[in-house]
Amino acid sequence: MNRAWLALLLGGFALLVAASVVGAHEAHAQDAVAQPAEPPTAWILASITNGVMVVTFFAIAAYLWKAIYEGGQLTANPLLTGMALIFTTCAIGHGMHFEHTILPYYAPFLGLGDAQEAVAFGTWAQTSMAHPLLILVDIVTAGLAIWYFTTRRLQAELFEGAELSEDLREREIEARRMHDSIVQSTSEALLLLQMGDEEAATEALDASLQESKEIVDTFLAQGRAVRIAPGDLKLEDRRQRTPG
Amino acid sequence: MTGTWWIGLGLNGVIGAAFVVIGLMLGGQLTRKGQWGTNRIGAVFTALVFTCGVGHLTRAFLLAGPTFGLFGTAGVASRVAFADWHVWLADGVTAMAGVFYVIARTRDKDLLQTTRAFEDFRSRRERAIRIHDSVVQELAQAKIALEAGHHDEAQAALQEGLQASKRITSSVHQLGDESHVQSSKEGVESGG
């Protein structure tokens, strides 16, 4: 299955490189097409959807860069860094499309280079974004981005750190393992202690302790580069108890 | 003016292909695990990445269109708009990051089988610290107290450890189908 994805990616890549090479040979062919005097008004919709994407993608990117910075994961976690780069550059790219569509309205006032050329370029950019298919995809993408943020905010308790999506099955297995090993054996130790069977209680307690240590090890290790700073594993909220 | 649009075509094609592949990878796992209905965040995120891919592929088709007499003014306008080197730069980095992500993900055997986009090591470490602080420490204290013959103190520490482990278990298992752990949980609560 994974090879199929890679084949699809490489196939698409090869096809587009070929199209690019063909395109390079007739690059100037369209210069003769006259610039549209008035772009379709649908560009306004495209501009708004691009604006929404800029805000949401930058917000997602900010989450990710914060996690990279705070966890020192820039080189240790390539998938996180890759995803952060994707969202950052997507936000910048859509930001440029947004900026190009409004170029005709502010360039003349700011004296940015040749204002007439900027207005012309902006008009082309507006026209390029006004294609119905592109607008449809942009609306769906912007809608999904808003939906994603709203849903994520409502389900905030599920997310720890910068995770963008979770695997409920894994969480379930993790919860079951913790429950079946730690909770069960600790309950057993407590019950046995209350019944006065000290030896069996100690055994159950040892099992529980061992299992919880193994779970901690599982989280920390698994061959992944995780930095543990001095003092990270200290008890933070030790309750004062009077000896029994 | 439009002589370099083909760079935009190549880059948008690569970005589109990479995003569609990422969407298919995540979507495939959602389908395999039957989580399209229950894992709303995963489903929406997957759809978001997928439509981003479709958007870039659409742009690539618009750029290629005039060569085949398609898309008319919109195609030509795209070529003008994508002749700006600033746009290539952003698209170039996105394309590289997209391909890099796909390759890195296919190499990560653990992540390949999940619906997660990546794993945040920091949150993993925090979960480990939480279990260590609240459960391991309490259980260790109970063991020491038990060995020293302080039964009351051992019981108190065990109670604390038990409560903490239940709390963590339920926080880990916030969403999704709870039926799988329900039966054994009831067993413990009645026993403990």
Side-chain angles (χ1 to χ4, degrees), chain A residues 3 11 22 24 62 64 69 151 154 168 185 188 201 217 222 225 228 244:
Chain A
R3 285 182 184 168
V22 171
L64 304 183
Y69 175 73
T151 314
L154 290 173
L168 297 183
S185 51
E188 194 184 332
D217 285 346
Q222 291 190 331
I228 303 294

Side-chain angles (χ1 to χ4, degrees), chain A residues 4-209:
Chain A
W5 297 142
L6 266 182
L8 184 67
L9 178 69
L10 292 173
F13 182 71
L15 197 69
L16 286 152
V17 167
S20 299
V21 171
V22 171
H25 285 290
E26 49 94 54
H28 297 278
Q30 71 287 345
D31 279 352
V33 175
Q35 181 189 324
E38 277 293 319
T41 48
W43 73 265
I44 298 169
L45 204 54
S47 191
I48 292 169
T49 53
N50 272 271
V52 170
M53 281 187 254
V54 171
V55 174
T56 49
F57 289 179
F58 262 129
I60 292 174
Y63 266 131
L64 304 183
W65 287 116
K66 186 170 177 275
I68 289 170
Y69 175 73
E70 289 179 356
Q73 303 182 72
L74 186 67
T75 52
N77 197 345
L79 283 168
L80 172 57
T81 306
M83 199 47 93
L85 268 175
I86 286 174
F87 275 100
T88 307
T89 53
C90 277
I92 293 170
H94 284 285
M96 282 181 195
H97 296 322
F98 175 76
E99 187 250 339
H100 288 163
T101 56
I102 59 168
L103 197 59
Y105 302 99
Y106 74 86
F109 300 104
L110 298 178
L112 296 175
D114 186 339
Q116 206 172 0
E117 198 175 298
V119 171
F121 182 74
T123 310
W124 277 114
Q126 289 168 354
T127 309
S128 79
M129 291 172 67
H131 192 274
L133 187 60
L134 203 58
I135 289 178
L136 180 70
V137 177
D138 279 355
I139 287 173
V140 173
T141 308
L144 283 168
I146 292 171
W147 188 14
Y148 175 77
F149 260 96
T150 316
T151 314
R152 191 188 156 98
R153 193 169 57 81
L154 290 173
Q155 299 187 351
E157 72 277 10
L158 181 67
F159 295 93
E160 293 175 65
E163 303 282 5
L164 291 178
S165 56
E166 266 292 359
D167 191 323
L168 297 183
R169 181 72 188 144
E170 280 188 358
R171 303 279 287 192
E172 200 178 290
I173 291 168
E174 191 182 305
R176 201 188 310 176
R177 185 183 170 196
M178 282 194 62
H179 178 265
D180 288 352
S181 53
I182 305 177
V183 178
Q184 295 268 29
S185 51
T186 308
S187 301
E188 194 184 332
L190 186 60
L191 192 65
L192 289 165
L193 193 60
Q194 284 167 348
M195 287 164 66
D197 190 347
E198 195 177 317
E199 198 179 330
T202 308
E203 268 177 35
L205 179 55
D206 281 344
S208 180
L209 198 54

Side-chain angles (χ1 to χ4, degrees), chain B residues 44-115:
Chain B
V44 177
F45 181 74
T46 302
L48 179 63
V49 174
F50 189 81
T51 54
C52 280
V54 172
H56 281 279
L57 286 179
T58 307
R59 180 61 84 177
F61 283 123
L62 276 174
L63 284 162
T67 303
F68 309 102
L70 299 171
F71 304 126
T73 315
V76 176
S78 290
R79 292 185 173 190
V80 177
F82 277 79
D84 180 3
W85 69 268
H86 298 97
V87 180
W88 309 338
L89 188 65
D91 282 353
V93 181
T94 310
M96 282 193 289
V99 172
F100 171 75
Y101 177 87
V102 171
I103 292 169
R105 189 177 172 92
T106 48
R107 283 182 180 171
D108 191 325
K109 288 191 174 65
D110 292 336
L111 207 61
L112 208 54
Q113 304 301 319
T114 77
T115 62

Side-chain angles (χ1 to χ4, degrees), chain B residues 10-175:
Chain B
L11 292 175
N12 273 277
V14 173
I15 296 169
F19 284 8
V20 166
V21 168
I22 296 169
L24 289 174
M25 280 174 165
L26 294 171
Q29 289 303 319
L30 284 169
T31 305
R32 196 171 70 81
K33 298 183 175 187
Q35 291 185 25
W36 280 105
T38 50
N39 190 352
R40 232 181 322 155
I41 286 285
V44 177
F45 181 74
T46 302
L48 179 63
V49 174
F50 189 81
T51 54
C52 280
V54 172
H56 281 279
L57 286 179
T58 307
R59 180 61 84 177
F61 283 123
L62 276 174
L63 284 162
T67 303
F68 309 102
L70 299 171
F71 304 126
T73 315
V76 176
S78 290
R79 292 185 173 190
V80 177
F82 277 79
D84 180 3
W85 69 268
H86 298 97
V87 180
W88 309 338
L89 188 65
D91 282 353
V93 181
T94 310
M96 282 193 289
V99 172
F100 171 75
Y101 177 87
V102 171
I103 292 169
R105 189 177 172 92
T106 48
R107 283 182 180 171
D108 191 325
K109 288 191 174 65
D110 292 336
L111 207 61
L112 208 54
Q113 304 301 319
T114 77
T115 62
R116 278 178 292 132
F118 55 84
E119 191 169 58
D120 185 354
F121 297 161
R122 185 186 53 162
S123 68
R124 215 179 155 78
R125 189 183 66 183
E126 282 168 3
R127 264 141 84 184
I129 292 171
R130 202 163 67 229
I131 295 170
H132 182 270
D133 278 3
S134 51
V135 181
V136 180
Q137 295 270 24
E138 292 294 347
L139 296 182
Q141 194 172 331
K143 187 170 164 58
I144 292 167
L146 199 59
E147 284 170 355
H150 298 153
H151 285 200
D152 288 348
E153 195 185 348
Q155 273 191 34
L158 273 173
Q159 288 278 15
E160 291 286 349
L162 185 60
Q163 288 309 316
S165 53
K166 278 181 179 172
R167 230 175 11 248
I168 292 169
T169 304
S170 66
S171 76
V172 167
H173 202 276
Q174 284 285 351
L175 294 174

